[in-house]
Amino acid sequence: MDNGEMRWVSEGIPDMRVAFLPREEVDFTDGWHVQGLKGTGSYGLQRRRRVRLPEYRTMPLFAREPFRGSSAASRMGLMPITAAGHASFALGVAKSMLAMSRNSRPPRCG
């Protein structure tokens, strides 16, 4: 925010940021019980106290320059890496649904 107004990186795109918090400031919640999500190892989270987060603990969501490392993955930025993970989940669910519709039971894992 700048003077109480949303900060924009370009027309129609707000300056969205990723925040990094110390683990001891976060409570993890186990609410991922819909098909396929339990196996992702993902958790919801809630910050224990509301305090202003220092900017050095954030980075732009759509940044393409690496903040650490120099691998090809770090040069892609966070969004393409996240998208790849979501795409693989979607493909897995689609494969499961096709198998269930053919066999009337879910496929075995492993």
Side-chain angles (χ1 to χ4, degrees):
M1 303 287 278
D2 286 326
N3 299 319
E5 298 290 323
M6 177 80 70
R7 184 182 308 146
W8 301 88
V9 293
S10 65
E11 183 68 33
I13 301 176
D15 181 15
M16 294 183 280
R17 303 190 70 80
V18 177
F20 299 91
L21 298 143
R23 188 175 183 92
E24 59 272 5
E25 291 184 18
V26 176
D27 289 320
F28 293 90
T29 58
D30 184 17
W32 293 70
H33 296 282
V34 297
Q35 180 182 359
L37 293 180
K38 183 68 174 173
T40 66
S42 299
Y43 290 89
L45 59 91
Q46 185 171 9
R47 195 162 184 196
R48 291 190 181 153
R49 55 191 171 101
R50 278 186 87 98
V51 294
R52 190 161 184 82
L53 188 66
E55 191 162 343
Y56 70 85
R57 284 195 183 167
T58 70
M59 65 178 258
L61 178 61
F62 297 109
R64 304 279 314 246
E65 68 277 351
F67 285 80
R68 291 177 104 177
S70 58
S71 69
S74 65
R75 287 193 308 273
M76 286 190 331
L78 185 60
M79 289 307 290
I81 293 169
T82 301
H86 289 163
S88 62
F89 161 77
L91 291 172
V93 169
K95 184 178 178 182
S96 173
M97 290 292 100
L98 288 172
M100 287 176 72
S101 67
R102 282 194 301 262
N103 302 329
S104 298
R105 61 183 184 172
R108 288 185 177 169
C109 294

